[in-house]
Amino acid sequence: MESEKTINTRISPDNQLAVLSRAEINSLLDTSQGGLHRLLRNCALAVLNCGSEIDDGKELLKRYQSFSIQVIQQERGIQLDIKGAPASAFVDGKMIQGIKEHLFAVLRDIVYVSDEIMDNPKFDLETFEGITNAIFHVVRNANIIRQHTEPNIVVCWGGHSISREEYVYTKEVGYQLGLRGMDICTGCGPGAMKGPMKGATIGHAKQRIHSGRYIGITEPGIIAAESPNPIVNDLVIMPDIEKRLETFVRTGHGFIVFPGGAGTAEEILYLLGILLSPENAEIPFPLIFTGPESAEEYFKQINHFIGVTLGFEAQQRYKIILNDPARIGREMKAGLQQVKEYRKKRNDAFYFNWTLKIDADFQKPFSPTHQAMSELDLTKDQEKHKLAANLRRVFSGIVAGNVKDSGIRAIEKNGHFEIKGDSEIMEPVDQLLTSFVEQQRMKLPGTEYVPCYRIIK
């Protein structure tokens, strides 16, 4: 039953979708009203739900059951006919410009991926090169690729459910990055994904930087839980979580990790697993873990978990710096200079990290079914980057069970995910997840967390 205030409207695009041929419009109509319509509807609703306190995909769809979106053909292009949209996306009855741009980014990306990538024999999505090539084409089509710019994109990861103190700290770090001319890339949602962008806007304004970029990278399964915040001025929707993660590491130049929950642990394990691959040992990759002084215990837990599961070598790939935003700005600036020199020496592009080797275990989409979760290889007798890949899948499955519509429904139908492995691995996994629950990092504050998993040692 809907009790939320809603608005009906029609909008036209201001970007490249504004000028289309008749053949392109007909194709768009066929696609948007066919197999992709549900995907378009769900992603569009998530974009319009910006600023809401919902981080539950199933609950969002239930709350706005009457929401609908249709592509309408016009003489000069297209319009979106929207009914039952959340009123929070409007000011004085007019849709917020940033949200409007995000809606057409959703349309652009899901149609492009369907028409140009998935059904195109040019892209072999079973090979390492084919997947990376497809990712490059998607982000280029989304105008994420910018030539003639030096490395300056800093990816900021962290939780959507963080304390007020931690959120303010992310803004302070973003401000220091903005003052030094760095652009921000995040998962585009609230919390630690929004704070650095807000801070950077002030830093850019003070330096009279009018071309500041606030890049948001998401995917259909997570977008409802992490609706894009309107500061994002370059939004791209990747087909799945693995391609989203690869997009971060291919387009970003430096990485900062703030406190977070299962999703942040997934991102850390994904990145460290790639960096542990012998082929990537010499590649400079600035990576800083940071938070306010109160986050010291959190990062002790993360550091301990990495040490006992992936070992000392993995711990050497990052720095932990607490409560010092200015130092982080200086360290990241120096790190980006190393990236620039390395890529110049090897004649690699500044705008896309082609040199980085990503193993198939990190590229192949993982569907967190109950069977797949129970069959994960969580034993010590494997290479460290292989273990990192499987640990990443553990946390990916928990994120799905926590916030994704499909994952929540699977848990309701079949019960908890059962996660089992060597006790030397499962014990630290259990301890880390327990700490996330105790610190309310699994769901937004005020929302009771019901675990979707059971650890079997």
Side-chain angles (χ1 to χ4, degrees):
M1 180 177 177
E2 292 187 22
S3 58
E4 306 292 330
K5 185 177 179 182
T6 61
I7 290 178
N8 302 333
T9 189
R10 279 195 180 192
I11 58 173
S12 300
D14 301 320
N15 54 21
Q16 68 265 35
L17 289 177
V19 181
L20 297 175
S21 70
R22 288 186 180 274
E24 288 172 321
I25 291 173
N26 289 335
S27 173
L28 189 57
L29 289 170
D30 292 341
T31 305
S32 66
Q33 294 172 3
L36 287 184
H37 184 261
R38 181 179 178 184
L39 179 61
L40 172 62
R41 177 184 180 273
N42 292 355
C43 290
L45 177 57
V47 166
L48 290 162
N49 193 51
C50 171
S52 169
E53 295 301 313
I54 301 175
D55 67 346
D56 181 325
K58 180 171 175 284
E59 174 62 25
L60 176 61
L61 295 172
K62 181 180 177 182
R63 186 173 295 190
Y64 294 97
Q65 294 181 45
S66 65
F67 172 75
S68 68
I69 180 169
Q70 298 292 334
V71 179
I72 305 298
Q73 182 173 356
Q74 297 290 306
E75 197 63 34
R76 297 182 179 178
I78 61 170
Q79 281 190 329
L80 292 182
D81 183 39
I82 301 169
K83 292 184 171 62
S88 58
F90 299 80
V91 174
D92 298 333
K94 186 175 181 179
M95 187 177 292
I96 295 170
Q97 181 65 22
I99 294 177
K100 176 184 171 183
E101 291 175 1
H102 292 170
L103 273 178
F104 284 104
V106 166
L107 182 63
R108 175 201 66 208
D109 291 343
I110 66 174
V111 171
Y112 180 81
V113 167
S114 176
D115 287 358
E116 302 295 332
I117 303 295
M118 295 305 184
D119 299 325
N120 191 340
K122 183 172 71 174
F123 299 102
D124 183 358
L125 298 182
E126 297 299 319
T127 66
F128 159 75
E129 295 85 359
I131 291 173
T132 299
N133 188 36
I135 288 171
F136 175 80
H137 278 77
V138 174
V139 296
R140 186 177 66 179
N141 184 65
N143 201 32
I144 302 298
I145 300 295
R146 301 280 176 89
Q147 290 181 284
H148 313 303
T149 56
E150 296 193 351
N152 76 331
I153 296 175
V154 179
V155 174
C156 296
W157 283 339
H160 72 294
S161 178
I162 58 176
S163 69
R164 180 66 187 174
E165 180 186 12
E166 289 171 349
Y167 176 68
V168 170
Y169 182 80
T170 68
K171 289 199 295 184
E172 293 171 350
V173 171
Y175 171 68
Q176 293 295 331
L177 299 175
L179 282 177
R180 292 166 173 82
M182 288 176 260
D183 291 333
I184 308 296
C185 175
T186 77
C188 79
M193 291 165 277
K194 181 180 180 181
M197 291 184 172
K198 290 191 75 171
T201 59
I202 304 302
H204 288 158
K206 286 189 174 182
Q207 296 286 23
R208 302 300 187 263
I209 297 172
H210 304 296
S211 58
R213 301 183 69 197
Y214 315 104
I215 302 168
I217 302 173
T218 187
E219 55 97 10
I222 203 70
I223 193 172
E226 298 175 356
S227 298
N229 68 76
I231 299 173
V232 173
N233 58 13
D234 278 315
L235 176 67
V236 58
I237 294 87
M238 301 305 295
D240 52 56
I241 189 66
E242 286 76 16
K243 293 179 183 61
R244 179 199 193 197
L245 290 169
E246 182 168 347
T247 302
F248 280 121
V249 300
R250 295 287 183 193
T251 58
H253 303 111
F255 285 70
I256 294 174
V257 179
F258 297 103
T264 303
E266 176 185 5
E267 291 163 340
I268 291 172
L269 288 164
Y270 178 88
L271 183 52
L272 289 179
I274 291 172
L275 296 179
L276 284 172
S277 181
E279 294 95 330
N280 299 324
E282 302 302 319
I283 297 178
F285 215 97
L287 175 57
I288 298 172
F289 295 176
T290 189
E293 204 68 52
S294 59
E296 181 178 6
E297 186 60 31
Y298 171 85
F299 284 113
K300 279 185 178 179
Q301 292 171 329
I302 293 290
N303 189 54
H304 174 74
F305 173 77
I306 292 169
V308 297
T309 56
L310 302 182
F312 179 73
E313 182 186 355
Q315 291 176 315
Q316 300 309 295
R317 295 305 307 230
Y318 56 84
K319 295 180 180 179
I320 299 176
I321 302 173
L322 297 177
N323 203 36
D324 196 343
R327 180 186 168 194
I328 291 167
R330 293 191 297 270
E331 293 264 0
M332 189 54 65
K333 191 74 173 177
L336 296 189
Q337 182 62 31
Q338 291 181 337
V339 171
K340 176 184 175 181
E341 292 171 359
Y342 179 87
R343 295 199 191 180
K344 283 180 68 176
K345 190 180 298 183
R346 284 157 180 77
N347 201 29
D348 194 14
F350 288 165
Y351 53 80
F352 198 79
N353 193 345
W354 292 105
T355 304
L356 197 70
K357 174 69 169 66
I358 300 182
D359 192 84
D361 287 334
F362 294 96
Q363 285 190 319
K364 186 177 180 181
F366 173 67
S367 178
T369 64
H370 281 70
Q371 180 178 346
M373 291 290 283
S374 68
E375 293 177 350
L376 287 173
D377 182 4
L378 301 172
T379 61
K380 297 283 281 186
D381 188 23
Q382 57 184 309
E383 294 176 277
K384 294 298 185 183
H385 65 280
K386 298 283 187 181
L387 176 57
N390 284 316
L391 285 170
R392 196 281 299 181
R393 292 177 180 128
V394 168
F395 289 95
S396 185
I398 291 172
V399 171
N402 284 349
V403 300
K404 294 185 179 182
D405 176 45
S406 59
I408 294 170
R409 293 181 188 277
I411 297 298
E412 290 176 346
K413 181 180 179 181
N414 301 311
H416 295 82
F417 288 134
E418 292 190 348
I419 306 168
K420 51 194 175 185
D422 290 351
S423 59
E424 303 99 304
I425 296 173
M426 300 319 299
E427 188 66 38
V429 168
D430 193 16
Q431 290 174 357
L432 189 64
L433 287 169
T434 300
S435 72
F436 289 165
V437 175
E438 291 173 348
Q439 296 167 23
Q440 294 187 308
R441 298 190 184 278
M442 296 292 233
K443 297 285 284 182
L444 287 170
T447 306
E448 181 182 0
Y449 177 66
V450 178
C452 64
Y453 62 90
R454 183 183 296 114
I455 301 294
I456 301 174
K457 304 169 190 175

